Amino acid sequence: MTGSGHACIGAFVGALSGSPGKALAVGVVSHAICDIIPHSEAPRALDLVLAGAALGGIAAGFGARSAEFWGAAGGVLPDVEHGLVVAGLMKEQHCVFPTHSGALPHGRNGGFLWQAVAAATALTLATLLRLRRTH
Ligand SMILES: [Zn+2]
């Protein structure tokens, strides 16, 4: 899944978890689940930039100490190893996250549409949860 999709879905599961620490953990778990579902990949360098932009937007909208932000961070965290590969600091075959190492299946060729719909829905739900809690 695209990193920005992982960030948005991580924000939602983080919102459901209720605390930054739990949010980080459930965000990482959401990454594995979303990686298993068949999806297409954006070019890695573009993907990393968009993931950073999504994290920045979520931090600006929900706050950097929020469960939403930490869920998003957990959602993106496993792809840090892809960033290290792009930067030439690590070899692809040394990736350790289960859906990157081959320990769990990594879905392919599933397109981008469901990812965009899932990301938009997740961010909308996270926003609605926040509004409901603050009003
Ligand atoms: Zn991944």
Side-chain angles (χ1 to χ4, degrees):
M1 170 173 245
T2 62
S4 53
H6 281 303
C8 294
I9 290 169
F12 173 58
V13 297
L16 293 176
S17 78
S19 79
K22 289 179 194 166
L24 185 69
V26 295
V28 171
V29 171
S30 77
H31 188 108
I33 294 167
C34 291
D35 265 1
I36 291 170
I37 300 169
H39 59 279
S40 296
E41 304 285 357
R44 284 234 169 113
L46 173 65
D47 194 30
L48 292 168
V49 170
L50 293 176
L55 281 176
I58 289 165
F62 292 99
R65 294 182 182 172
S66 67
E68 292 88 346
F69 173 74
W70 285 98
V76 171
L77 186 63
D79 280 348
V80 166
E81 60 187 2
H82 290 322
L84 295 175
V85 170
V86 169
L89 299 171
M90 184 176 161
K91 293 199 182 305
E92 184 87 45
Q93 61 268 29
H94 294 145
C95 288
V96 295
F97 193 70
T99 54
H100 303 161
S101 68
L104 288 174
H106 191 121
R108 305 208 182 275
N109 303 319
F112 292 99
L113 181 61
W114 80 265
Q115 296 184 68
V117 170
T121 302
L123 211 47
T124 300
L125 291 174
T127 303
L128 290 173
L129 279 173
R130 172 60 74 92
L131 289 172
R132 201 174 83 180
R133 287 177 180 148
T134 56
H135 286 88

